[in-house]
């Protein structure tokens, strides 16, 4: 099991290029199941979650090749039963359900486990599939769907905290091959859902309202192969912007879609971080003193929950009290106890973390628990005096392409050690 050894206190300087978005490429990979023709997807990040999804597609019978960021999938003949163990291990794999039901009119996929950030139910996914005519049963850990006929319907996908990203992906994909028109109300508007919709349209799907909370999908007989370049990862871009700020550095971020980052850039600005657009790139540097800022995570275009842990590190360095409220997941504060090991003073009050910022951080061994919490621990290690060892780095490799190499190129003293 790998760990990252970080010697903190070095201001990051230089340029970084943002990779394709994990949360766009996973549903796009699932969408390739909707046609028997070859699909080509570019700017695919080299992530363990992507490799895993490739294994899942192959286990369903698809031909999958991934080389130098280019993915080719031909799902000519596929089966509707996903490999229980493979699917159970990665929550994002639930988005093969919609395509399998649409293509084969039946599917059996294992119920995705919960994870450290919350229970992760799929009731909204199943509500949508049922509204399209799917007959759903759950037995021995499998969700089984039979849908001899898929009929377009009006579906309200709003849940207790707003919409569902992968739920919207699943129902949108299933509706592309249903008979008639489907209207999804309270659809997720995340850029990754927009990217998936654009890929489906390139495959011949008829979708309107892309990027809005109301999606209208007119079913077609079949979809054809398509080529697509994945949208840049806004969460990776936000993570590097915060890395520049917490290390008092100066980093030029290339290849991000700045229009996908408005809520994050606004909060960084309020906190006193200096940012300058240079064409499509963004120069981020620490201005004067940081200011404490309150943040609440919300569905897009609100402040993304996937940046909450990283932003908390910045607030731990801003003298004063800031309140960070997590509205999307019920247990996304796993990073708080580990940040305390580095000297941060953070108290959890229900859905809010109260950060008493400005205390000096000092390095220590810490344990990663989920993807974004791990990123937060790396940022804290970069800012802390002394050495920090972040264990269980496989969490990080799920969603950040070559993060230690990219940070080393910015001057960070960080190396990967293999702890057998
Ligand atoms: C996607 O997860 C992302 N993952 C998550 O990123 C991201 O945090 C999340 O969207 C929110 O933006 C991928 O795209 C692979 P949701 P998803 O369904 O779709 C509740 C990362 O770090 N809900 O939008 O699974 C749910 O419990 C990961 O990259 C229901 O109640 O999230 C949560 O409270 C972490 N019923 C809220 O909705 C349902 O049927 C949002 O979940 C589905 C969800």
């Amino acid at each position: 099991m790998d760990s990252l050894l970080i010697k903190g206190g070095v201001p990051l300087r230089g340029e970084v290029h943002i990779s394709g978005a994990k949360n766009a490429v996973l549903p796009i990979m699932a969408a390739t199941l909707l046609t028997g023709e070859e699909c080509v997807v570019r700017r695919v990040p080299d992530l363990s979650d992507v490799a895993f999804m490739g294994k899942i597609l192959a286990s369903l019978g698809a031909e999958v090749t991934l080389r130098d960021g280019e993915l080719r999938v031909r799902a000519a003949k596929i089966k509707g039963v996903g490999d229980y163990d493979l699917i159970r291990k990665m929550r994002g794999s639930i988005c093969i359900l919609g395509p399998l039901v649409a293509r084969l009119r039946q599917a059996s996929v294992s119920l995705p486990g919960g994870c450290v950030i919350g229970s992760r139910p799929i009731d909204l996914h199943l509500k949508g599939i049922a509204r399209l005519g799917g007959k759903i049963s759950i037995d021995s850990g499998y969700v089984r769907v039979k849908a001899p006929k898929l009929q377009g319907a009006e579906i309200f996908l709003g849940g207790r905290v707003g919409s569902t990203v992968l739920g919207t992906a699943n129902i949108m994909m299933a509706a592309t091959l249903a008979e008639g028109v489907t209207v999804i109300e309270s659809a997720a508007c995340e850029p990754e859902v927009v990217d998936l919709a654009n890929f489906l349209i390139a495959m011949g799907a008829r979708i309107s309202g892309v990027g809005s909370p109301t999606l209208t999908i007119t079913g077609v007989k079949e979809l054809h192969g398509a080529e697509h370049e994945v949208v840049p990862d806004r969460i990776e871009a936000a993570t590097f912007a915060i890395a520049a700020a917490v290390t008092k550095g100066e980093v030029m971020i290339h290849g991000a879609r700045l229009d996908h980052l408005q809520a994050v850039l606004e909060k960084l600005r309020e906190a006193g971080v200096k940012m300058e657009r240079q064409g499509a790139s963004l120069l981020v540097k620490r201005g004067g003193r940081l200011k404490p800022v309150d943040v609440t995570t919300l569905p897009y275009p609100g402040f993304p929950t996937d940046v909450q842990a990283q932003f908390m590190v910045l607030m731990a360095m801003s003298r004063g009290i800031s309140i960070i409220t997590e509205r999307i997941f019920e247990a996304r504060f796993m990073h708080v106890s580990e940040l305390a090991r580095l000297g941060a003073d953070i108290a959890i009050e229900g859905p809010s973390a109260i950060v008493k910022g400005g205390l000096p951080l000092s390095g220590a061994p810490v344990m990663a628990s989920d993807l974004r919490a791990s990123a937060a621990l790396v940022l804290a290690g970069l800012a802390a005096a002394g050495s920090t060892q972040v264990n269980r780095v496989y969490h990080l490799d799920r969603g950040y392409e070559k993060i230690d190499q990219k940070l080393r190129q910015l001057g960070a003293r960080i190396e990967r050690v293999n702890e057998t």
Side-chain angles (χ1 to χ4, degrees):
M1 215 180 281
D2 288 359
S3 298
L4 289 179
L5 263 184
I6 301 165
K7 283 197 177 35
V10 177
L12 298 186
R13 293 196 189 298
E15 314 197 16
V16 68
H17 291 264
I18 299 306
S19 305
K22 165 178 87 83
N23 291 349
V25 75
L26 293 178
I28 285 171
M29 289 174 78
T32 63
L33 296 168
L34 287 163
T35 177
E37 297 182 10
E38 181 177 70
C39 292
V40 182
V41 186
R42 296 190 176 90
R43 191 163 45 198
V44 173
D46 176 11
L47 303 172
S48 52
D49 270 11
V50 169
F52 209 76
M53 183 59 105
K55 281 204 192 94
I56 289 172
L57 298 183
S59 74
L60 293 167
E63 291 160 44
V64 182
T65 56
L66 176 55
R67 209 187 330 276
D68 306 330
E70 182 181 275
L71 174 82
R72 288 173 178 271
V73 182
R74 182 192 299 278
K77 272 182 71 47
I78 53 168
K79 59 183 179 159
V81 183
D83 178 304
Y84 186 88
D85 271 337
L86 272 182
I87 294 175
R88 188 174 56 82
K89 288 202 186 93
M90 185 177 75
R91 155 102 196 156
S93 56
I94 187 62
C95 61
I96 67 171
L97 183 64
L100 288 177
V101 171
R103 179 89 186 276
L104 303 175
R105 296 296 196 268
Q106 55 153 350
S108 289
V109 295
S110 56
L111 275 165
C115 58
V116 285
I117 62 176
S119 58
R120 312 296 294 273
I122 59 166
D123 56 306
L124 296 170
H125 298 241
L126 300 183
K127 168 183 171 183
I129 293 288
R131 293 278 294 118
L132 292 171
K135 303 278 172 277
I136 296 164
S137 62
I138 293 183
D139 70 81
S140 44
Y142 274 97
V143 178
R144 301 192 195 281
V145 180
K146 285 198 179 343
K149 207 166 138 41
L150 269 188
Q151 187 64 43
E154 297 234 336
I155 302 168
F156 182 77
L157 268 191
R160 58 187 176 78
V161 286
S163 191
T164 159
V165 171
L166 290 182
T168 301
N170 252 332
I171 305 316
M172 178 166 64
M173 288 189 280
T176 59
L177 296 178
E179 256 173 64
V181 179
T182 297
V183 178
I184 303 176
E185 292 294 354
S186 189
C189 304
E190 272 67 5
E192 295 76 25
V193 174
V194 170
D195 206 36
L196 170 65
N198 291 334
F199 177 57
L200 292 168
I201 290 167
M203 294 173 77
R206 294 174 54 195
I207 305 173
S208 61
V210 175
S212 86
T214 304
L215 286 173
T216 303
I217 303 107
T218 305
V220 293
K221 272 256 158 290
E222 60 180 16
L223 295 179
H224 51 73
E227 305 207 0
H228 182 78
E229 181 168 273
V230 176
V231 74
D233 195 318
R234 62 192 169 105
I235 309 302
E236 184 194 23
T239 305
F240 276 99
I242 295 171
V246 299
T247 60
K248 305 192 184 93
E250 185 165 321
V251 174
M252 180 68 87
I253 297 174
H254 295 298
R257 280 281 302 270
L258 303 183
D259 56 321
H260 292 165
L261 278 164
Q262 289 312 319
V264 173
L265 299 184
E266 185 53 31
K267 284 296 172 186
L268 290 178
R269 208 170 283 123
E270 277 178 37
V273 177
K274 294 282 172 276
M275 289 167 288
E276 203 183 299
R277 284 176 187 236
Q278 295 192 3
S281 300
L282 182 73
L283 179 67
V284 183
K285 52 188 175 189
R286 171 73 156 271
R289 257 169 65 133
L290 287 171
K291 302 182 197 85
V293 170
D294 294 347
V295 164
T296 298
T297 65
L298 290 168
Y300 192 85
F303 192 93
T305 173
D306 294 345
V307 181
Q308 179 255 106
Q310 302 91 311
F311 194 81
M312 191 180 286
V313 178
L314 185 67
M315 289 301 100
M317 306 184 69
S318 319
R319 192 183 303 283
I321 305 274
S322 53
I323 298 175
I324 297 181
T325 303
E326 173 57 59
R327 286 276 178 238
I328 305 296
F329 290 107
E330 64 269 28
R332 201 169 197 173
F333 285 141
M334 298 293 288
H335 41 288
V336 170
S337 51
E338 294 306 297
L339 291 176
R341 265 186 227 277
L342 302 178
D345 179 350
I346 305 167
I348 296 177
E349 285 294 328
S352 296
I354 298 158
V355 183
K356 292 193 191 98
L359 303 176
L361 297 181
S362 59
V366 288
M367 188 72 79
S369 56
D370 78 282
L371 170 55
R372 306 305 174 181
S374 326
L377 295 177
V378 170
L379 296 184
L382 292 170
S387 298
T388 297
Q389 172 158 332
V390 181
N391 297 312
R392 297 190 184 169
V393 170
Y394 62 86
H395 288 291
L396 211 55
D397 294 334
R398 288 187 44 218
Y400 287 93
E401 183 177 53
K402 302 184 179 63
I403 190 167
D404 38 336
Q405 289 174 36
K406 290 187 176 184
L407 286 170
R408 247 196 314 280
Q409 275 159 12
L410 293 171
R413 289 176 303 194
I414 180 171
E415 55 172 315
R416 184 177 287 255
V417 290
N418 192 312
E419 306 267 299
T420 36

